[in-house]
DNA sequence: TCCTTTGAACTGACCAGTCAGTGCAAAAAG
DNA sequence: CTTTTTGCACTGACTGGTCAGTTCAAAGGA
């Protein structure tokens, strides 16, 4: 009964809605995300996912209609984490009375935090996002939109408030900022993992604020 | 006899060094690059590659030791095109007496040109570059190094010449610039293909030169 | 009692890599 | 000049293995 709350032990108690099923699904997501990030979707077998999650293969098909659907739900779940985190960062900066540029900077930080916390998920998005002719193409379009829109929103407000030039191309700038953080962070993780996140953040802030080519 | 020179007919005469084999290999590269960009490496079958190239499956194995090796040679061939093109852009700007920042701008343009000309090849690099545990991991490291080094070289010269602040983090800035151009260009190709390359280039130049947050 | 999980056996499609054989142009032999 | 040989490039049917997805009886848990 509920007094035993944590059940098996390692699993968080959570509120009423958390059923045994939710736990199993989460374990499957975690197993799938790392395997797919490492090997790609097609090279990852359902048997492997089940094994790493510590469940039987039949359980995978009891919880998801297919390997494909497991993956799509994974994508949707992941982007929710990112978009929420970006939005909170932007709102937080605004609440603290910062400018819109401060909000952008806070979003860069949030992006770095996200990539540091979920590197496998990030790798997986990058690998799939610009592919064509994939079954989950439409899911990815939505997913991308969800994240880019948050950045565009802040840029738009900054232009309206006179903080940024009206000449900037908002969608393209949003993409470019996104790419800047993404690639810098992936390279950081892959090739210079010893560096601190503050260090990386500071370098990117400098780049954002146009001090790279700034002649004093 | 030798007077009949061209022999049968369908085969091009060509000069001595250019063999039938080279032509076949080129056809296979072209077929493989688009298929793998669309579907990923594992989902692309050797039968598909052969069919699109208009040769028999056995020919693939006559020309390449394995599917894997075909792919690795493709990666190596592609990066040579990019690195050369970036270096020429940088040198060209220098020859014209431009600053190092002009050289960076020329490289952005070269990057955009490359992506516009070889979109499939670009998608393919992006999809594979940050994966772990892949057979061609080491090839990719070399490939990435080859391109990033060119950018770092220009940044270093710019710092030495006082054009850029000494505070910038050269490797990280190179990655960030690379990512900025890459993601902006891929989004341009995927979601706003009607825009002109000059337009995209102008927006990115503005971002590079720190005029985004520039209060006049 | 009802929901969820287990685990193992099975099917059928798909696919990387192989190999015996074909076609053909140029060299060698007659 | 004609015939034979050589060897490169290519062919495509075939093989051995893999894997997504199915099925189901039995067990476990709330």
């Amino acid at each position: 009964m509920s007094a035993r709350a944590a059940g098996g032990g390692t699993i968080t108690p959570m509120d009423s809605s958390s059923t045994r099923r939710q736990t199993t699904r989460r374990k499957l997501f975690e197993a799938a995300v790392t395997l797919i990030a490492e090997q790609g979707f097609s090279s990852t077998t359902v048997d492997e996912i089940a094994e790493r999650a510590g469940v039987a293969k039949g359980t995978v098909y009891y919880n998801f209609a297919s390997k494909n659907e497991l993956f799509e739900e994974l994508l949707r779940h992941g982007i929710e984490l990112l978009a929420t985190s970006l939005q909170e960062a932007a709102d937080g900066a605004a609440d603290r009375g910062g400018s819109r540029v401060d909000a952008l900077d806070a979003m860069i930080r949030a992006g770095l935090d996200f990539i540091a916390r979920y590197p496998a998920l990030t790798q997986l998005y990058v690998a799939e996002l610009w592919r064509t002719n994939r079954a989950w193409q439409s899911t990815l379009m939505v997913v991308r939109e969800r994240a880019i829109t948050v950045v565009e929103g802040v840029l738009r407000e900054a232009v309206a408030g006179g903080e940024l030039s009206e000449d900037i191309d908002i969608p393209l700038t949003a993409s470019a900022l996104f790419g800047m953080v993404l690639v810098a962070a992936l390279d950081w993780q892959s090739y210079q993992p010893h560096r601190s996140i503050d260090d990386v953040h500071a370098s990117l802030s400098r780049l954002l604020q146009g001090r790279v080519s700034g002649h004093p």
Side-chain angles (χ1 to χ4, degrees), chain A:
Chain A
M1 51 183 74
S2 62
R4 214 209 310 75
T10 59
I11 298 144
T12 55
M14 296 193 135
D15 63 298
S16 57
S17 71
S18 173
T19 61
R20 193 149 58 115
R21 214 169 163 175
Q22 294 302 316
T23 307
T24 303
R25 289 169 67 99
R26 191 158 11 88
K27 281 195 294 187
L28 286 169
F29 277 159
E30 277 163 26
V33 76
T34 51
L35 284 168
I36 296 177
E38 284 170 8
Q39 309 175 327
F41 177 80
S42 309
S43 318
T44 301
T45 69
V46 174
D47 291 278
E48 277 177 310
I49 295 172
E51 189 190 348
R52 184 168 304 189
V55 303
K57 185 176 182 180
T59 304
V60 176
Y61 285 95
Y62 182 78
N63 284 279
F64 298 94
S66 65
K67 181 186 175 188
N68 241 296
E69 194 172 295
L70 162 59
F71 186 57
E72 288 203 35
E73 289 199 30
L74 184 61
L75 292 177
R76 280 191 284 267
H77 176 253
I79 204 65
E80 218 44 50
L81 292 176
L82 174 60
T84 303
S85 152
L86 290 180
Q87 191 64 65
E88 281 176 5
D91 295 347
D95 291 350
R96 263 177 270 108
S99 67
R100 298 304 171 180
V101 174
D102 291 331
L104 282 179
D105 197 61
M107 286 170 63
I108 289 180
R109 179 52 175 244
L112 289 175
D113 283 335
F114 182 88
I115 294 170
R117 197 185 329 261
Y118 309 107
L121 191 55
T122 308
Q123 283 166 24
L124 191 155
Y125 279 117
V126 170
E128 298 295 338
L129 202 52
W130 294 279
R131 276 221 215 294
T132 47
N133 297 346
R134 288 293 246 190
W136 47 81
Q137 187 78 2
S138 58
T139 300
L140 277 174
M141 287 265 304
V142 174
V143 147
R144 171 189 170 278
E145 205 64 20
R146 182 88 173 77
I148 288 282
T149 300
V150 179
V151 181
E152 288 182 357
V154 174
L155 286 175
R156 224 179 299 280
E157 289 171 9
V159 169
E163 282 186 68
L164 298 188
S165 156
E166 290 199 358
D167 293 341
I168 72 165
D169 176 323
I170 289 180
L172 198 96
T173 305
S175 287
L177 287 175
F178 200 82
M180 184 184 98
V181 175
L182 184 66
V183 173
L186 286 171
D187 265 31
W188 161 44
Q189 296 274 307
S190 300
Y191 304 106
Q192 311 185 305
H194 58 279
R195 300 186 52 174
S196 79
I197 194 170
D198 288 325
D199 194 12
V200 174
H201 182 200
S203 293
L204 289 180
S205 285
R206 223 171 281 134
L207 197 55
L208 168 72
Q209 301 191 0
R211 302 216 190 92
V212 171
S213 54
H215 315 235

